[in-house]
Amino acid sequence: MRHLLVFAERDAAEEVAETVAGEFPVVGVPTVVRETLAGEDDAEDAQWLVVVEDPSGALPPEGVARLEALAEEYEGWRENG
């Protein structure tokens, strides 16, 4: 499974990626990528994604809930990738 944590700010995405790596070493270090919204010309409209790879489903439901809480804490949200 892949979890995408979506943020408006790069700093928030980087902080969350560091937190996830520290709290969930089983998933490794998440990747931070920039995603431009379709049809948007302004670079400021880009979103920042924290990509958490969990191919073996090692994160328990409590871990997924923690990802959601982290995303909300930094004014973002979680999606399944």
Side-chain angles (χ1 to χ4, degrees), residues 2-3 7-8 12 17 19-20 23-24 34 41-42 58 60 70 80:
R2 175 182 289 160
H3 304 277
F7 302 94
T19 301
V20 170
E23 290 186 23
F24 303 104
R34 186 173 180 205
D41 295 328
D42 190 351
L70 276 170
N80 290 329

Side-chain angles (χ1 to χ4, degrees), residues 39-72:
E40 296 294 335
D41 295 328
D42 190 351
E44 291 187 25
D45 289 330
Q47 296 175 322
W48 291 91
L49 306 178
V50 175
V51 182
V52 180
E53 298 286 352
D54 184 22
S56 63
L59 275 181
E62 304 83 38
V64 175
R66 176 65 176 138
L67 293 179
E68 289 177 358
L70 276 170
E72 289 177 15

